[in-house]
């Protein structure tokens, strides 16, 4: 008996995978474009929102107070009451978009432009000594007039010096235990930058630049004994600059004079009217636009003493609101310093925070007569387009740094079915291996 073996059936070959067509490729590119567009609208850290919102609120607050402080003098000079505030608003319209554009730039960009930006800003500052371009006002020569626009180049030195110090100290981060690497090139270049400002007799701006230098050194993590030497040098230089100027010494001595009314017609006139403006405001103020000191009594009422007009019109409540906004700004900036893992970000953010918050406290201390008159504007609020522009650019740098902060990981969503009760939902064990079938 023979058995017939059936012929083997030939297995059909698996169907070939379809090739991607042009439409599929186009749809892939469209998906990638949607993903890239989604990154633009991705959630931002809370520090970003805190810094951006306080900067915008302080800028709007400042425009309102500049309008209120300058309406009377503008009408007395035969000008439009909106003449000054419109010029300030132009710099705000330019600076706010620049702030958000700067917030999109990567950290590598700020490292690359640290040296070129400082060189350009120092060259810009040297224009104040060029005849026909530099302008002298009240003994200070720190302004330039180009194409009908008056600017203060020293304001840009603040942000560029912070970037340069952050880059240099970041590159030397492993050598900061040696004094020569801490001092060179930080001290020579810092002295050059501050010297160009002091050559124009602007002690207030020079002190702010000194504070930025010390702040960057502090946040770079140098040893305390190495930090004390630059601190002593800065204090000594400020004392020398004060003693060598009779005008500065007069203001300092008037600040220390107990009988302030004795120098009312001399060095105490401005500081006394600033205190009187605050006293007139009381708790709730005289009302927006109802200041009395702005009618020619208080010098620099829209610049260095705008906080006095604020206190007179909006009272203690308005002053506390402004102080609260600066406090929130400081909290957001210091969160960047605390959370970042990049030494460059920590140093630059620390220097910018010391600059903006320290300058605000110094300006308020001058108005309260807790410090001698130094001619330092109130950030975001004082009249001065260059000052507002530089502060908004610095805020853009902080916002760029805020985007790099590590975000807490979100908890995974609970699995459905039996996995929610702690048991595996499929035939796989909790370890990920396939479960053995029961016999």
């Amino acid at each position: 008996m023979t058995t017939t073996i059936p012929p083997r059936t030939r297995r059909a070959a698996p169907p070939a995978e379809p090739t991607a067509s042009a439409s599929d490729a186009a749809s892939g590119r469209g998906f990638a474009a949607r993903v890239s567009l989604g990154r633009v609208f991705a959630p931002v850290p809370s520090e970003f929102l805190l810094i951006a919102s306080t900067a915008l609120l302080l800028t709007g607050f400042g425009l309102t107070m500049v309008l209120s402080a300058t309406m009377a003098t503008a009408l007395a000079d035969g000008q439009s009451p909106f003449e000054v505030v419109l010029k300030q608003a132009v710099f705000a319209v330019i600076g706010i978009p620049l702030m958000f554009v700067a917030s999109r730039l990567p950290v590598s960009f700020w490292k690359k432009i640290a040296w070129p930006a400082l060189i350009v800003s120092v060259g810009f500052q040297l224009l104040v000594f060029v005849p026909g371009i530099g302008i002298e006002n009240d003994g200070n020569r720190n302004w330039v007039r180009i194409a009908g626009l008056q600017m203060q180049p020293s304001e840009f030195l603040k942000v560029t010096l912070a970037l340069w110090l952050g880059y240099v100290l970041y590159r030397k981060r492993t050598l900061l235990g040696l004094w020569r690497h801490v001092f060179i090139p930080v001290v020579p270049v810092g002295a050059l930058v501050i010297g160009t400002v002091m050559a124009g007799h602007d002690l207030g701006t020079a002190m702010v630049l000194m504070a930025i230098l010390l702040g960057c050194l502090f946040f770079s993590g140098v040893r305390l004994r190495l930090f004390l030497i630059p601190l002593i040098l800065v204090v000594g230089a400020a004392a020398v600059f004060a003693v060598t100027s009779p005008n500065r010494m007069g203001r300092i001595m008037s600040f220390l004079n107990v009988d302030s009314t004795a120098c009312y017609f001399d060095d105490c006139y401005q500081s006394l009217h600033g205190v009187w403006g605050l006293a007139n405001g009381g708790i709730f103020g005289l009302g927006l636009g109802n200041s009395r000191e702005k009618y020619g009594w208080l010098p620099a009422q829209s610049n260095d003493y705008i906080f006095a007009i604020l206190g007179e019109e909006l009272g203690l409540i308005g002053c506390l609101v402004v102080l609260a906004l600066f406090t929130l700004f400081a909290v957001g900036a210091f969160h960047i310093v605390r959370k970042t893992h990049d030494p460059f970000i920590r140093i630059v953010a620390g220097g910018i925070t010391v600059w903006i918050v320290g300058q605000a406290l110094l300006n308020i201390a001058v108005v309260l007569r807790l410090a001698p008159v130094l001619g330092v504007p109130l950030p975001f609020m004082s009249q001065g387009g260059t000052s507002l522009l530089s502060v908004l650019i610095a805020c853009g740098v902080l916002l760029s740094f805020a985007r790099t902060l590590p975000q807490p990981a979100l908890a995974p969503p609970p699995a459905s079915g039996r996995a929610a009760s702690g048991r595996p939902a499929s035939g796989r064990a909790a370890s990920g291996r396939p479960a053995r079938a029961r016999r």
Side-chain angles (χ1 to χ4, degrees):
M1 181 176 180
T2 60
T3 57
T4 306
I5 301 176
R8 296 182 178 179
T9 57
R10 183 177 299 177
R11 293 183 178 179
E17 296 182 359
T19 58
S21 60
S23 60
D24 296 334
S27 62
R29 287 195 299 269
F31 177 75
R34 289 194 296 271
V35 171
S36 300
L37 185 61
R39 293 176 183 174
V40 177
F41 299 100
V44 292
S46 58
E47 291 81 8
F48 184 100
L49 299 175
L50 192 59
I51 294 173
S53 59
T54 52
L56 293 176
L57 288 174
L58 285 170
T59 302
F61 213 154
L63 291 175
T64 303
M65 295 311 305
V66 167
L67 173 63
S68 177
T70 57
M71 289 181 65
T73 54
L75 288 173
D77 295 337
Q79 300 175 351
S80 169
F82 306 101
E83 180 76 19
V84 179
V85 72
L86 286 178
K87 293 180 181 178
Q88 185 80 355
V90 169
F91 285 94
V93 170
I94 296 174
I96 291 175
L98 277 179
M99 178 180 71
F100 287 107
V101 169
S103 70
R104 304 296 306 179
L105 299 176
V107 178
S108 59
F109 172 81
W110 302 114
K111 295 178 181 179
K112 291 178 182 178
I113 69 165
W115 271 103
L118 183 67
I119 294 173
V120 171
S121 59
V122 170
F124 190 30
Q125 170 65 22
L126 294 177
L127 291 179
V128 301
F129 307 108
V130 177
I133 298 179
I135 299 175
E136 184 173 353
N137 186 14
D138 294 334
N140 293 347
R141 192 176 181 87
N142 274 306
W143 291 268
V144 296
R145 185 182 297 276
I146 301 176
L149 292 176
Q150 183 171 326
M151 295 172 285
Q152 190 172 1
S154 59
E155 292 294 331
F156 295 112
L157 286 175
K158 299 174 182 178
V159 61
T160 55
L161 180 63
L163 287 172
W164 179 84
L165 287 170
Y167 179 72
V168 170
L169 295 173
Y170 161 76
R171 293 292 300 271
K172 289 176 171 280
R173 62 188 180 278
T174 59
L175 303 172
L176 294 180
L178 303 174
W179 71 268
R180 60 181 180 272
H181 289 286
V182 175
F183 280 74
I184 299 173
V186 170
V187 173
V189 176
L192 173 64
V193 172
I194 297 171
T196 58
V197 177
M198 279 308 305
H201 309 289
D202 190 355
L203 180 60
T205 303
M207 291 182 64
V208 174
L209 292 173
M210 295 176 188
I212 294 173
L213 191 148
L214 292 176
C216 290
L217 284 175
F218 177 81
F219 287 105
S220 67
V222 298
R223 296 180 180 178
L224 183 60
R225 58 185 176 85
L226 296 178
F227 177 77
L228 289 177
I229 298 176
L231 178 61
I232 295 173
L233 292 176
V234 165
V235 174
V240 170
F241 291 145
V243 171
T244 54
S245 174
N247 184 23
R248 299 190 194 100
M249 281 302 300
R251 286 184 290 179
I252 294 174
M253 297 307 296
S254 66
F255 160 72
L256 299 175
N257 188 3
V258 179
D259 187 10
S260 56
T261 56
C263 57
Y264 172 78
F265 293 102
D266 193 5
D267 297 320
C268 301
Y269 180 86
Q270 186 177 19
S271 57
L272 281 177
H273 277 280
V275 174
W276 292 346
L278 290 172
N280 290 335
I283 297 179
F284 300 102
L286 302 178
L288 188 63
N290 294 329
S291 170
R292 301 165 185 168
E293 293 290 339
K294 68 182 181 182
Y295 287 93
W297 292 102
L298 178 61
Q301 74 274 9
S302 61
N303 300 319
D304 304 338
Y305 272 78
I306 196 168
F307 191 76
I309 304 299
L310 169 69
E312 187 179 11
E313 295 186 350
L314 301 180
L316 178 63
I317 303 299
C319 295
L320 291 178
V321 169
V322 171
L323 288 175
L325 290 175
F326 275 110
T327 302
L328 293 176
F329 179 88
V331 169
F334 277 119
H335 273 203
I336 296 176
V337 176
R338 183 176 61 88
K339 292 182 179 180
T340 185
H341 302 298
D342 191 339
F344 173 77
I345 294 178
R346 182 173 61 252
I347 296 169
V348 177
I352 291 176
T353 307
V354 169
W355 156 30
I356 296 178
V357 179
Q359 183 172 319
L361 293 177
L362 183 59
N363 175 274
I364 295 172
V366 168
V367 175
L368 294 174
R369 210 162 183 267
L370 300 176
V373 180
L374 296 172
V376 176
L378 184 61
F380 297 106
M381 299 190 65
S382 290
Q383 177 192 352
T386 315
S387 174
L388 178 61
L389 189 61
S390 64
V391 170
L392 289 175
I393 293 175
C395 289
V397 177
L398 291 179
L399 296 179
S400 173
F401 294 163
R403 290 182 179 273
T404 65
L405 295 180
Q407 296 299 310
L410 297 177
S416 59
R418 296 177 61 188
S421 61
R423 300 177 182 178
S426 63
R428 293 179 178 268
S431 60
R433 297 178 180 178
R436 294 183 179 181
R438 297 181 179 177
R439 294 183 178 179

